[in-house]
Amino acid sequence: MVKCPMSKEVDSLDIDGLLVTRPVPIQGDSLWRYARKGVAMYDRILSIPDVDRTVQAVHKLPMKEAVSYFFHQGRDLKPGALEFIRKRESTKFGNTGRKNRPHMVELTWDQLSSQGIDQLEDIYFTPPGMENLISKGAAINTLRQHYTHITHYDDDPYTLLLLARHFPDVDFVLVEDHSTAILLARVDLSEYPNVTVVENLQDLL
């Protein structure tokens, strides 16, 4: 999947909530996890395997994936996303929790390119049945084998902080949404020196 030669700067970019709007800008799964486990949810130790990125076609989509596909249609870019992509001088890859199904792959590429984002070298989609967090980590691990400086951008504190601890040599940028303050309320960010928190992508320009 990695197509480019060694480069000094590469960006790993989440899509939903970062480049593309969410219908409700919160981290529902992470809020539910936080309600059950509190700040202890960030203590998890990750094991990240190699991941087969082959697009997986099925005759009939599982109901959960069909609903997800429906709600991912018609989404606009987030304000400032296009400006950030165009001005940021780096090699860029998508790194998303969207499933690695033909319909979702096609929808995602069309959604981005039709609104002006055509600068991504490739997009790492999540294999069905795999946790988004693990898929994103495996993608970052692949990029680490080819690039000298990686920055991953995400809007989910749970995903980002666990990956930041697992990859201390990678920089991470957390873009805030309506749930960030709750999810970070009891987190000591000084323990994550490779993490930067911003209100929006424009803050980085």
Side-chain angles (χ1 to χ4, degrees):
M1 178 171 283
V2 175
K3 302 176 182 178
C4 298
M6 205 69 163
S7 171
K8 290 184 178 180
E9 297 281 344
V10 64
D11 290 338
S12 163
L13 299 152
D14 184 24
I15 292 179
D16 294 298
L18 188 88
L19 300 180
V20 176
T21 58
R22 292 182 183 274
V24 181
I26 63 171
Q27 305 299 320
D29 290 344
S30 292
L31 286 171
W32 174 243
R33 187 178 288 107
Y34 187 76
R36 290 183 292 123
K37 296 185 176 182
V39 74
M41 73 180 189
Y42 297 113
D43 294 336
R44 176 181 171 187
I45 303 300
L46 299 181
S47 176
I48 298 179
D50 292 333
V51 173
D52 181 4
R53 301 287 176 177
T54 304
V55 177
Q56 300 182 31
V58 290
H59 178 66
K60 184 178 180 181
L61 282 177
M63 179 60 69
K64 185 176 181 179
E65 289 185 35
V67 171
S68 175
Y69 176 72
F70 175 80
F71 282 107
H72 278 86
Q73 297 180 67
R75 294 189 181 184
D76 295 326
L77 296 183
K78 285 195 68 176
L82 182 58
E83 180 185 12
F84 174 80
I85 291 293
R86 288 179 172 174
K87 289 186 175 181
R88 167 79 173 162
E89 295 183 0
S90 64
T91 302
K92 301 173 182 69
F93 288 84
N95 192 358
T96 179
R98 295 186 181 198
K99 299 308 177 188
N100 203 9
R101 300 285 197 195
H103 66 287
M104 188 62 84
V105 171
E106 181 179 1
L107 167 68
T108 302
W109 281 110
D110 288 348
Q111 194 172 63
L112 295 174
S113 63
S114 66
Q115 300 183 75
I117 293 182
D118 55 7
Q119 297 86 354
L120 301 184
E121 296 293 330
D122 214 329
I123 299 175
Y124 292 93
F125 292 87
T126 297
M130 176 170 285
E131 185 181 3
N132 299 351
L133 164 65
I134 299 303
S135 175
K136 290 180 178 181
I140 292 171
N141 211 26
T142 297
L143 293 174
R144 289 170 69 242
Q145 300 172 32
H146 298 269
Y147 297 94
T148 57
H149 184 202
I150 300 163
T151 303
H152 177 71
Y153 300 77
D154 213 296
D155 63 334
D156 181 7
Y158 176 70
T159 293
L160 187 137
L161 293 183
L162 288 183
L163 291 176
R165 180 167 287 166
H166 190 82
F167 296 113
D169 58 325
V170 174
D171 289 330
F172 290 83
V173 175
L174 176 66
V175 178
E176 296 177 333
D177 66 12
H178 294 341
S179 57
T180 305
I182 296 173
L183 293 171
L184 294 184
R186 297 167 60 195
V187 173
D188 182 0
L189 288 177
S190 67
E191 297 179 2
Y192 301 88
N194 54 336
V195 171
T196 300
V197 181
V198 298
E199 185 176 347
N200 52 59
L201 289 174
Q202 293 99 309
D203 290 346
L204 300 169
L205 296 177

